[in-house]
Amino acid sequence: MKQVLYFSASWCGPCKAFRPLMESMQNEIPVTFIDVDSSPQTAQQYNIKSVPTTIVVQNGVEIGRVVGAKPKEEIRALYNR
């Protein structure tokens, strides 16, 4: 099963702007929202260096990643690889 992990932070301006787009995508694809300050071990596990970062995992294995706020089409294409 594929899943999207969306890493962000409450203090991050681009994250605040990008979050509504990611929330709107929850109707199409499974999105898990992860705050890097609340879940530092998870952020470290996925080697998050910058937020926002969006990762697609399948069966626990990373299959794609983008850093920064991206258009919905790019996130959808990443998920559909």
Side-chain angles (χ1 to χ4, degrees):
M1 180 180 132
K2 286 185 188 177
Q3 180 180 21
V4 173
L5 305 178
Y6 173 65
F7 290 88
S8 64
S10 60
W11 45 262
C12 167
C15 298
K16 290 177 188 177
F18 190 45
R19 185 177 179 97
L21 182 139
M22 292 303 293
E23 288 174 344
S24 74
M25 294 192 75
Q26 284 185 296
N27 297 329
E28 304 171 41
I29 58 179
V31 179
T32 300
F33 295 84
I34 302 166
D35 184 289
V36 295
D37 294 325
S38 300
S39 303
Q41 291 91 355
T42 305
Q44 185 176 18
Q45 173 188 348
Y46 286 95
N47 199 29
I48 303 302
K49 302 288 187 208
S50 169
V51 288
T53 294
T54 306
I55 298 176
V56 177
V57 294
Q58 185 170 21
N59 301 320
V61 177
E62 181 178 330
I63 60 170
R65 173 186 297 232
V66 292
V67 177
K70 303 294 182 187
K72 185 182 274 193
E73 295 75 28
E74 190 170 337
I75 301 300
R76 192 178 292 119
L78 182 71
Y79 181 79
N80 289 326
R81 277 188 188 169

